[in-house]
Amino acid sequence: MIQRFSILMLIFCLGIGCKKESNYQLISGETMGTYYRVKYNKSQDYSKDIEECLAKVNQSMSTYIPSSSISKMNRAAITYVLDENDDYFKEVFEKSKEVYEWSRGDFEPTVYPLLNYWGLGNENKKQPNSIDSMKVDSIMKFVNF
């Protein structure tokens, strides 16, 4: 029985090793605090284009990059003038506005100050021992799309 199983496994493994060459290209890496994996038809090499696109999106919307558009907006005291060339941020911002309106405010993309207070943002990594309702009320003045 063990001998038959071993022979079957050997045949199976040899069969896998003899696969035809794939027509697909696979690229993978890390970005935006996670991993990506893209598989595409390898008639052309898109790896550079994909990596450039991901880098632009990251530079636009990563809260981990201090010079990104969203980081600059989050740090702005009152107003922020968006870089007119940042199409990624503009598109996501407009879609956020649509979803905010559609959900009647249940989707609230301006919660960053609260995230920081609760230790979930980039500025404050320490969660408060107790919630100060007065502090939360003062922060809520900045939360309203």
Side-chain angles (χ1 to χ4, degrees):
M1 179 87 165
I2 293 175
Q3 200 171 27
R4 284 185 188 174
F5 179 74
S6 298
I7 291 171
L8 286 173
M9 286 304 294
L10 177 63
I11 292 170
F12 177 74
C13 291
L14 288 174
I16 289 175
C18 297
K19 277 186 176 177
K20 292 181 182 178
E21 185 178 327
S22 173
N23 291 329
Y24 294 96
Q25 176 72 28
L26 176 67
I27 63 166
S28 59
E30 295 181 37
T31 189
M32 297 174 249
T34 189
Y35 301 94
Y36 69 91
R37 185 176 162 145
V38 179
K39 187 176 183 180
Y40 61 91
N41 187 315
K42 70 176 173 180
S43 60
Q44 283 188 284
D45 183 7
Y46 295 107
S47 58
K48 184 177 177 187
D49 297 325
I50 291 168
E51 289 170 1
E52 284 177 6
C53 178
L54 290 172
K56 286 179 183 177
V57 170
N58 208 17
Q59 184 59 41
S60 174
M61 292 180 272
S62 172
T63 58
Y64 297 101
I65 298 175
S67 63
S68 73
S69 295
I70 198 165
S71 292
K72 289 177 184 176
M73 186 180 85
N74 285 336
R75 284 192 311 271
I78 298 173
T79 60
Y80 171 71
V81 178
L82 181 65
D83 177 357
E84 64 184 45
N85 297 318
D86 192 343
D87 293 329
Y88 295 108
F89 190 85
K90 283 188 237 177
E91 186 175 342
V92 169
F93 184 84
E94 289 301 319
K95 188 55 75 175
S96 294
K97 187 176 178 181
E98 283 179 38
V99 175
Y100 172 81
E101 291 167 356
W102 174 82
S103 70
R104 293 184 222 123
D106 288 340
F107 172 74
E108 177 54 79
T110 65
V111 296
Y112 189 73
L114 283 174
L115 292 176
N116 278 323
Y117 174 71
W118 288 321
L120 302 171
N122 292 341
E123 295 172 21
N124 177 23
K125 296 293 184 182
K126 185 180 177 206
Q127 295 181 351
N129 294 329
S130 63
I131 302 298
D132 179 349
S133 60
M134 299 275 287
K135 180 73 174 168
V136 171
D137 286 345
S138 69
I139 293 170
M140 287 302 291
K141 294 175 185 172
F142 301 99
V143 177
N144 187 351
F145 197 71

